[in-house]
Amino acid sequence: MRIIPYAMALFLLAPMVLTAEDRTAEVKKEEGFVSLFDGKTLNGWVGATKGYIVEDEQIICDPKTGGNLFTEKQYQDFVLRLEFKVPPGGNNGIGIRAPNSGDVAYSGIEIQVLDDDAPKYKNLQEYQYHGSLYGLVPAKRGHLKPAGEWNFQEVRVEGDKIQVILNGTTIIDADMAEIRSNPTLDGKEHPGIHRDKGHIGFLGHGNPVAFRNIRIREL
């Protein structure tokens, strides 16, 4: 039997910890994906640029201000990948096919980013939980990591199809054509469901929700 030196054994058993440089290199390996965030500035972003802080290669919503931060560019069909972390009770959103003004939950499409296990959210409607298309489509629950831990999320948008994959599990698989032909779950007008192109945004609600490794592949 081969004997492994104790120090080497500890090294082999230790979990791999990726540095910021390692993560950036991994992102660059994803074929066809380009970064939406340079890790240092908000270049390429518009809107509430004063409402977000860049720190440790993260975009963090400033709890004193917040607001809607949008990509300068508009996107139609794409795969968006990112990591996010919500504090206890944290609330934000990912806007897709959005105009750069108005309430994106209605004027565009908002994907909820929420610590929905927090006691203050015990009476949410089904379309308000994390990953849901706000007011339109409820997400499968039980796949969000505890508050304070990093989650990986992918959003796939192609024609009328919208998928949200959270930590490897598909929690939304929606057909916008079907949604347009039926009353909305919240009973409100959602002109955003008729848009086929728009900005991607972070929709801050005054909580320090953090995003990193934000990249996109257009389809």
Side-chain angles (χ1 to χ4, degrees), residues 16 31 46 48 61 79 108 110 112 152 154 161 180 207:
M16 182 178 292
E31 185 175 356
V46 296
C61 184
V79 179
E110 178 176 357
Q112 284 282 77
F152 172 76
E154 178 173 294
K161 304 295 185 181
R180 286 193 293 269
N207 306 124

Side-chain angles (χ1 to χ4, degrees), residues 43-189:
N43 290 343
W45 295 81
V46 296
T49 54
K50 302 297 184 183
Y52 288 77
I53 301 165
V54 175
E55 185 176 276
D56 297 330
E57 299 201 344
Q58 304 167 33
I59 295 178
I60 305 170
C61 184
D62 187 341
K64 297 178 182 178
T65 48
N68 294 345
L69 181 69
F70 296 104
T71 57
E72 198 169 54
K73 182 177 175 179
Q74 296 191 52
Y75 297 90
Q76 184 169 12
D77 294 338
F78 57 86
V79 179
L80 174 70
R81 291 176 178 171
L82 53 76
E83 294 172 77
F84 69 89
K85 179 172 63 176
V86 292
N91 185 8
N92 203 286
I94 298 172
I96 58 174
R97 291 183 174 172
N100 59 7
S101 62
D103 188 340
V104 175
Y106 305 99
S107 61
I109 297 173
E110 178 176 357
I111 300 168
Q112 284 282 77
V113 176
L114 187 73
D115 173 27
D116 55 26
D117 282 330
K120 68 179 182 178
Y121 296 132
K122 64 181 180 180
N123 295 320
L124 290 180
Q125 298 296 321
E126 61 175 354
Y127 53 76
Q128 294 177 306
Y129 290 108
H130 176 83
S132 297
L133 307 187
Y134 189 91
L136 302 171
V137 183
K140 294 178 183 177
R141 299 193 65 199
H143 303 285
L144 184 69
K145 293 183 180 180
E149 294 187 18
W150 286 103
N151 295 266
F152 172 76
Q153 188 155 285
E154 178 173 294
V155 179
R156 293 175 173 263
V157 179
E158 187 169 10
D160 281 331
K161 304 295 185 181
I162 298 178
Q163 289 185 317
V164 179
I165 300 111
L166 175 64
N167 298 319
T169 297
T170 300
I171 61 172
I172 286 283
D173 192 354
D175 185 336
M176 300 307 295
E178 183 177 339
I179 292 169
R180 286 193 293 269
S181 64
N182 290 288
T184 59
L185 291 183
D186 64 2
K188 297 182 180 180
E189 293 293 324

Side-chain angles (χ1 to χ4, degrees), residues 201-219:
F202 298 135
L203 315 177
H205 299 290
N207 306 124
V209 176
F211 301 91
R212 71 182 184 187
N213 293 333
I214 308 157
R215 62 270 199 200
I216 194 167
R217 176 166 60 89
E218 294 188 73
L219 301 176

